[in-house]
Amino acid sequence: MLLLAIIAALPWTILPSSPGTKQSISSANSIVVASRAPINKIIAFRSAPPKRRYEVSAPIKRAIAQNLPKISGPKDMTLPLVVLDAGHGGHDPGAISPHGGQYEKEVTLAIARSIRTELLKTGRIRVALTRDSDKFLVLQDRYGIARKMKADLFISIHADSAENPEATGGTVYTLSEVASDREAQRMAARENKSDIINGINLGRADANVSSILIDLTQRETMNVSADFAKLLLRESRPNMRIRTNSHRFASFIVLKAPDMPSVLFETGYLSNEEDVEFLRSEAGQIKVARSVASAVQIHFARRLATK
Ligand code: ZN
């Protein structure tokens, strides 16, 4: 081991240029080496062919390098890709229900998985989850992952709490720099805080995003997002409780991808006893999932028809 360490420390220039050449070396390091091993052995060590490595295909290499989640469903890359984002995770539990201590991060993951199941049943939609385990992701990585994967639609799933225990039902939020009402603004402020742990902001400030906001691409994206929000609410109403003022606007960081239609679905309130019962039950999760799957199918059918 000592010899290897010394060899590693040797400067290249003092090694002879061809094997077998005896060369007088004056450096103090080399004298130590020469006294322990013949110089041609050192050359043999240096010129040994590199060991064979396992070959990994290019797309897998890319996915590993970018740490992207796996895509489920059909292999046809022309089919739309929906990225589902289960809110919170890891050290960030999200809302904690006063009725039974249910964590929002667990409800959101269960619902996201249920939506994936329903979407895969169509056989026409590819699906990925930003997280498929109890791990923490900063908000920009959530939409960042979806953008890298070239997602056609991004749906972030939440189930927060409200001060008023009577508040009940689902709400769909889409991006706007101007919040539609105080509650939407409060909700966005609370969700955006996910990145701030012990006073350290884990999200990177992204000046580009705010300047792009006024861009035409962003406007078009916001329009498509708003259309999908309406559709999602329409498809959800027969299956679950939906608030009266159910489409709201606010500046949620997680919705800021300039070129990817995105909505945040607050599926209900963990502060409400009936909502938490519904959202943590498998039957409730399936109802939410079917509503989303139905809206997604109509959304892509419409987009295809207008192309
Ligand atoms: Zn949340």
Side-chain angles (χ1 to χ4, degrees):
M1 281 310 286
L2 176 67
L3 177 64
L4 287 183
I6 292 165
I7 293 166
L10 268 177
W12 278 100
T13 48
I14 65 160
L15 287 170
S17 53
S18 63
T21 322
K22 299 263 180 208
Q23 206 168 311
S24 66
I25 299 162
S26 58
S27 123
N29 270 349
S30 314
I31 289 160
V32 176
V33 172
S35 69
R36 285 172 182 256
I39 199 79
N40 58 346
K41 280 233 174 104
I42 296 172
I43 299 305
F45 172 79
R46 283 285 194 194
S47 58
K51 277 188 183 161
R52 275 195 151 205
R53 289 184 185 164
Y54 287 106
E55 280 307 311
V56 180
S57 71
I60 292 176
K61 261 187 203 160
R62 240 187 340 265
I64 293 169
Q66 299 184 330
N67 201 16
L68 296 178
K70 89 169 189 6
I71 298 175
S72 309
K75 297 283 167 266
D76 182 351
M77 300 280 282
T78 61
L79 291 173
L81 171 65
V82 177
V83 171
L84 303 166
D85 172 50
H88 311 280
H91 63 246
D92 169 23
I96 301 171
S97 175
H99 313 287
Q102 180 69 57
Y103 283 177
E104 182 185 357
K105 66 173 183 177
E106 289 164 357
V107 170
T108 59
L109 183 56
I111 293 173
R113 285 173 174 159
S114 187
I115 297 171
R116 174 174 59 193
T117 305
E118 292 302 318
L119 285 175
L120 291 180
K121 281 183 191 167
T122 67
R124 304 290 302 158
I125 292 159
R126 300 180 299 137
V127 190
L129 266 60
T130 53
R131 70 174 179 98
D132 200 2
S133 62
D134 183 20
K135 80 172 176 194
F136 176 76
L137 289 169
V138 298
L139 296 172
Q140 281 158 348
D141 281 351
R142 293 174 183 269
Y143 72 73
I145 287 169
R147 281 192 75 215
K148 276 183 196 156
M149 299 177 88
K150 304 207 181 326
D152 299 284
L153 186 61
F154 177 81
I155 306 172
S156 190
I157 306 293
H158 287 262
D160 277 272
S161 59
E163 279 160 31
N164 173 10
E166 302 298 313
T168 171
T171 317
V172 180
Y173 291 90
T174 56
L175 182 68
S176 164
E177 288 306 277
V178 185
S180 55
D181 55 274
R182 296 267 302 271
E183 197 199 318
Q185 195 173 9
R186 253 203 317 273
M187 195 64 91
R190 194 161 56 212
E191 290 299 349
N192 293 348
K193 258 194 201 148
S194 270
D195 282 354
I196 302 168
I197 306 294
N198 300 332
I200 300 162
N201 191 350
L202 301 169
R204 296 167 297 276
D206 193 343
N208 282 339
V209 169
S210 23
S211 64
I212 291 168
L213 274 178
I214 48 167
D215 197 50
L216 282 175
T217 316
Q218 179 88 60
R219 275 176 215 273
E220 166 64 11
T221 304
M222 284 157 97
N223 290 340
V224 177
S225 305
D227 285 348
F228 178 72
K230 286 189 202 106
L231 196 54
L232 177 54
L233 288 164
R234 192 191 81 186
E235 293 305 299
S236 301
R237 260 185 210 103
N239 299 328
M240 57 187 283
R241 289 191 195 192
I242 293 294
R243 302 195 69 185
T244 34
N245 182 9
S246 50
H247 180 195
R248 297 176 188 218
F249 303 86
S251 180
F252 286 91
I253 290 173
V254 80
L255 299 178
K256 285 197 174 182
D259 48 3
M260 177 179 66
S262 310
V263 300
L264 188 147
F265 192 11
E266 286 283 0
T267 51
Y269 292 99
L270 293 190
S271 43
N272 180 275
E273 206 165 353
E274 282 106 48
D275 276 12
V276 70
E277 196 138 315
F278 176 77
L279 293 172
R280 74 169 158 215
S281 71
E282 205 189 329
Q285 290 161 3
I286 291 173
K287 280 186 177 171
V288 177
R290 288 196 177 141
S291 312
V292 176
S294 170
V296 167
Q297 283 182 87
I298 298 167
H299 170 76
F300 287 120
R302 277 184 187 172
R303 308 268 319 149
L304 210 64
T306 54
K307 260 183 190 171

